Amino acid sequence: MESQIHKIHQQLVSKEISCTKLVQERLDLLKSNTHNTVNSLLDTLALDLAAKVDVKIAGGQEIGLLEGIPFGIKDVYMVQGTLTTASSDLLKKYKSPYTATAIQKLLDTGAIPLVKENCDSFGHGSSSENTIFGAVKNAINTDLVSGGSSGGSAVNVAKDFTVFSIGGDTGGSVRQPAGYNKIYGLKPTYGRISRFGLMAYASSTDCVGPIAKSIEDIRIVLNVMSGKDIKDQTTYQSKAISEQNILNADEIKTVGYFKNFIETDAIDAKVKADFLSAIGKIKAKGIEVKELDFFESDTLVSTYYTLAMAETASNLSRLDGTNYGNRIEGVNLKDTYSITRSENFSEETKRRIVGGNQVLSQGFSDEIYLKGLNLRDQISENFEKDFKEVDIILSPVTPNSPPKIGDSLKDPLAMYLSDAYTVGFSLGQLPTLTVPQGTETGLQITAAKNNDELVLKFANFLKDTI
């Protein structure tokens, strides 16, 4: 199978390239790039680790598959001793005291971190414009947004600045930028990978997700990061997915799609035509295709943002400049809290905190928040019913093409609605993969909970079909 990880591994083993040279070349690309993907370079750490790999190879020792492979990290993950800013003023000088579990697992294999990557501040956005480091520019057309919130991670992979990157997906933050930049991005089943050390946005849907240029590289990285973690009680032990297992998709007999995603005025005409063309090619391979009923997009977006804003208001309440962060002194303690949060949070983050506190407040929580929880349960039940009828659900990643830089900031509602096709699968906590085929922003492949392997199987099938 196509794989940059395998290719680079062979180049290192055969001494076709040294690890130090490989890492230095990628660091140079990151330094000179004009897409605003870099929050901070981990150059000293990366070169030290690369030198150790070179010593092992020179000494005739075996190296692991990921050993010496350069990767990027969205700047919402703790890596001990490094700046972890969440692209925010509040944490622009904050250094991590520990390392996130998912990242530590990669470090334990010998993978080499190069960069903390630009993103929407605290994951709040769908365009990677809501950042103190400047808007991340699309890898294909720099006039367009990169998608968010893992925009820097997606662009670094698309431009070959990193071999793979680790993003974070709450409502589509890995899948949407992967689609905008024509690469692969996976939101695994919720709980498959530990969230310990990932700055929490909405704890009930936050997922650690790999971004790469091939299905095989997604599989390799997913296997390494997966597993039970005593520091995250939502995690579970999962079975490793083998390369051989995802080569054959014969067990996939039925594919479904939500007709209300396609039969709506909100979808771009070309996205609709391309999606239906992909469906036609799948049918031609002998797979049964079923139209499914689902909640309207407006209901999905409203439910997701009601719950996500409530959770982020709670999660970010700890950031007041007392224990960490950029504290701004006021005339008294209350004034200090107020000024610190007002001055250091972005407009979008403040919008979400205010919205979250509103739906949790007395007089509103029963009417709005509890209704959102009830709708989330109904959405999960709908998925359980659907997966009794179909093996896979296929959908566009977004209803429209990527907007120009600046447009999303003028219209927050339009930004929220760009998540219409991703948030439902987040609420259902389902494994969903963006593939760079089918429409201008790719296709989403979704399977039932804990069935991440089936998603990768169908992705391989699609690669040769459309």
Side-chain angles (χ1 to χ4, degrees):
M1 287 176 70
E2 178 189 343
S3 165
Q4 283 198 57
I5 292 172
H6 282 291
K7 180 182 176 183
I8 293 171
H9 175 71
Q10 287 304 317
Q11 289 174 330
L12 291 171
V13 169
S14 65
K15 301 180 183 177
E16 186 181 329
I17 187 171
S18 73
C19 190
T20 298
K21 184 180 179 185
L22 169 69
V23 166
Q24 188 62 64
E25 285 176 351
R26 303 287 174 130
L27 286 170
D28 289 344
L29 288 170
L30 285 163
K31 282 177 188 174
S32 62
N33 103 82
T34 56
H35 291 262
N36 290 339
T37 64
V38 176
N39 285 3
S40 59
L41 284 177
L42 310 179
D43 43 1
T44 302
L45 172 63
L47 289 167
D48 285 349
L49 292 172
K52 291 175 183 176
V53 174
D54 284 335
V55 168
K56 282 186 75 171
I57 293 169
Q61 293 178 267
E62 279 191 24
I63 61 168
L65 182 58
L66 279 175
E67 202 160 351
I69 304 296
F71 74 103
I73 304 167
K74 182 178 180 178
D75 200 9
V76 289
Y77 288 95
M78 301 291 175
V79 180
Q80 189 172 18
T82 71
L83 287 168
T84 304
T85 72
S87 295
S88 71
D89 273 318
L90 188 66
L91 297 177
K92 62 186 174 185
K93 295 179 182 177
Y94 177 72
K95 283 195 174 181
S96 309
Y98 62 93
T99 299
T101 297
I103 305 303
Q104 188 61 55
K105 286 185 172 187
L106 290 167
L107 297 178
D108 290 345
T109 69
I112 296 180
L114 298 185
V115 57
K116 297 299 259 322
E117 297 166 322
N118 200 357
C119 57
D120 282 304
S121 183
F122 295 105
H124 297 159
S126 304
S127 64
S128 291
E129 294 173 279
N130 176 37
T131 160
I132 63 169
F133 296 100
V136 182
K137 299 176 183 178
N138 189 287
I140 300 150
N141 181 345
T142 55
D143 291 333
L144 306 179
V145 302
S146 61
S149 58
S150 307
S153 303
V155 172
N156 280 341
V157 170
K159 299 294 290 184
D160 290 318
F161 302 154
T162 61
V163 177
F164 66 90
S165 286
I166 306 305
D169 192 305
T170 305
S173 293
V174 161
R175 290 163 286 154
Q176 188 237 48
Y180 279 5
N181 294 282
K182 301 190 185 307
I183 50 177
Y184 292 90
L186 175 68
K187 183 196 85 67
T189 300
Y190 180 81
R192 185 182 181 100
I193 302 174
S194 172
R195 291 177 293 112
F196 179 76
L198 164 64
M199 287 189 191
Y201 167 14
S203 305
S204 67
T205 55
D206 286 344
C207 288
V208 177
I211 299 170
K213 276 192 162 180
S214 72
I215 300 158
E216 173 64 359
D217 288 351
I218 292 284
R219 181 194 70 83
I220 292 166
V221 177
L222 174 66
N223 278 343
V224 169
M225 294 193 297
S226 298
K228 183 76 177 168
D229 179 16
I230 59 170
K231 297 170 184 173
D232 178 359
Q233 294 304 305
T234 64
T235 54
Y236 62 91
Q237 196 59 48
S238 55
K239 187 179 174 184
I241 300 169
S242 74
E243 181 180 358
Q244 196 60 37
N245 277 7
I246 64 172
L247 294 177
N248 188 340
D250 289 349
E251 69 189 86
I252 298 170
K253 307 292 185 187
T254 313
V255 170
Y257 71 92
F258 297 130
K259 61 185 179 183
N260 61 302
F261 277 15
I262 307 305
E263 296 170 4
T264 171
D265 293 336
I267 192 170
D268 180 84
K270 188 170 189 318
V271 173
K272 178 178 179 177
D274 289 346
F275 179 79
L276 292 175
S277 174
I279 289 293
K281 291 173 183 176
I282 291 166
K283 282 181 180 177
K285 290 287 186 178
I287 291 179
E288 183 184 359
V289 175
K290 289 186 177 182
E291 289 185 346
L292 302 171
D293 291 317
F294 199 45
F295 294 80
E296 292 299 321
S297 298
D298 287 357
T299 302
L300 296 172
V301 171
S302 299
T303 302
Y304 168 75
Y305 276 103
T306 294
L307 300 179
M309 286 183 179
E311 291 184 38
T312 204
S314 175
N315 282 325
L316 293 185
S317 62
R318 72 195 79 173
L319 297 181
D320 56 19
T322 302
N323 293 314
Y324 34 69
N326 183 33
R327 182 184 179 97
I328 302 173
E329 295 291 345
V331 295
N332 54 43
L333 186 59
K334 183 179 179 182
D335 194 42
T336 296
Y337 287 164
S338 177
I339 295 171
T340 295
R341 288 166 68 83
S342 295
E343 295 295 322
N344 285 311
F345 281 139
S346 69
E347 290 305 308
E348 183 57 38
T349 294
K350 286 187 278 190
R351 187 179 292 117
R352 297 188 187 202
I353 291 171
V354 169
N357 284 327
Q358 177 80 359
V359 302
L360 289 172
S361 62
Q362 188 173 3
F364 287 93
S365 60
D366 286 357
E367 185 65 29
I368 303 174
Y369 180 66
L370 294 183
K371 187 176 180 181
L373 291 176
N374 180 261
L375 275 166
R376 183 175 66 183
D377 290 343
Q378 291 180 45
I379 288 164
S380 293
E381 288 166 11
N382 199 107
F383 280 129
E384 286 179 19
K385 174 178 68 69
D386 287 338
F387 284 116
K388 289 175 183 173
E389 293 185 45
V390 301
D391 302 308
I392 288 288
I393 293 174
L394 196 67
S395 61
V397 179
T398 61
N400 304 105
S401 55
K404 286 186 176 180
I405 289 173
D407 288 355
S408 294
L409 295 180
K410 297 174 194 169
D411 190 352
L413 180 58
M415 179 182 69
Y416 299 157
L417 291 173
S418 72
D419 298 334
Y421 296 169
T422 54
V423 293
F425 304 118
S426 295
L427 292 167
Q429 302 185 335
L430 305 175
T432 308
L433 174 72
T434 288
V435 298
Q437 294 109 27
T439 78
E440 185 181 354
T441 58
L443 294 170
Q444 271 184 123
I445 303 168
T446 306
K449 273 186 185 180
N450 309 325
N451 220 340
D452 303 59
E453 181 176 286
L454 200 65
V455 167
L456 298 182
K457 283 186 178 188
F458 195 68
N460 264 322
F461 165 81
L462 278 190
K463 185 164 59 75
D464 300 323
T465 301
I466 57 175

